[in-house]
Amino acid sequence: MQLKTFLTSVAVTALVIPSVLANTSKVLAEDITILLENKTRANMTEFYASPSGVKNWENDILGDDVLRSGKAIEINFNDERTTCIYDFQAKFADGDVVEKYDINICKLAGGSYEFYD
């Protein structure tokens, strides 16, 4: 009888753990806010954030806005994706383009990401 109880609990655990882990990653990646800081000498004119592995950059998050040198802006990732790993691209008024890869936004949640000279 003890063996049957043990096997039943192992089977239930094997079914529950993947479900809990899958739901946790979805919650973690769905709605994340970070502070994007421009610590360069040039104004940031465009900012893109796309899940790693996506072939093209998605929409410019700044739109018509400019992130001035020394300033910061909150960026909210609420695109209903479950991935935490993103690539960033920033374009600056002086012509510089900076790309950063494999940024874990889940670890950045509530924190900041800095572009600097």
Side-chain angles (χ1 to χ4, degrees):
M1 191 61 148
Q2 287 180 327
L3 180 60
K4 184 177 178 183
T5 303
F6 173 74
L7 291 175
T8 301
S9 67
V10 168
V12 168
T13 302
L15 293 173
V16 170
I17 288 177
S19 173
V20 168
L21 291 176
N23 288 337
T24 301
S25 70
K26 184 173 174 129
V27 169
L28 289 176
E30 268 187 359
D31 193 13
I32 298 207
T33 300
I34 66 167
L35 189 66
L36 178 65
E37 296 185 68
N38 181 4
K39 293 191 173 186
T40 70
R41 289 177 287 220
N43 292 338
M44 184 184 297
T45 57
E46 298 175 41
F47 178 72
Y48 302 90
S50 299
S52 292
V54 172
K55 294 184 185 216
N56 297 313
W57 292 107
E58 296 181 355
N59 295 333
D60 173 16
I61 293 173
L62 295 178
D64 292 332
D65 293 331
V66 170
L67 183 56
R68 299 206 180 281
S69 175
K71 299 295 181 183
I73 187 172
E74 278 192 352
I75 303 290
N76 189 5
F77 294 85
N78 61 352
D79 55 10
E80 298 183 12
R81 292 183 169 129
T82 57
T83 184
C84 290
I85 309 301
Y86 276 70
D87 299 333
F88 293 168
Q89 182 188 72
K91 293 185 179 183
F92 296 89
D94 63 1
D96 281 350
V97 176
V98 178
E99 294 181 355
K100 300 292 184 177
Y101 299 98
D102 300 322
I103 308 298
N104 188 330
I105 64 168
C106 293
K107 287 186 178 179
L108 289 176
S112 64
Y113 189 84
E114 302 171 355
F115 281 91
Y116 49 88
D117 290 324

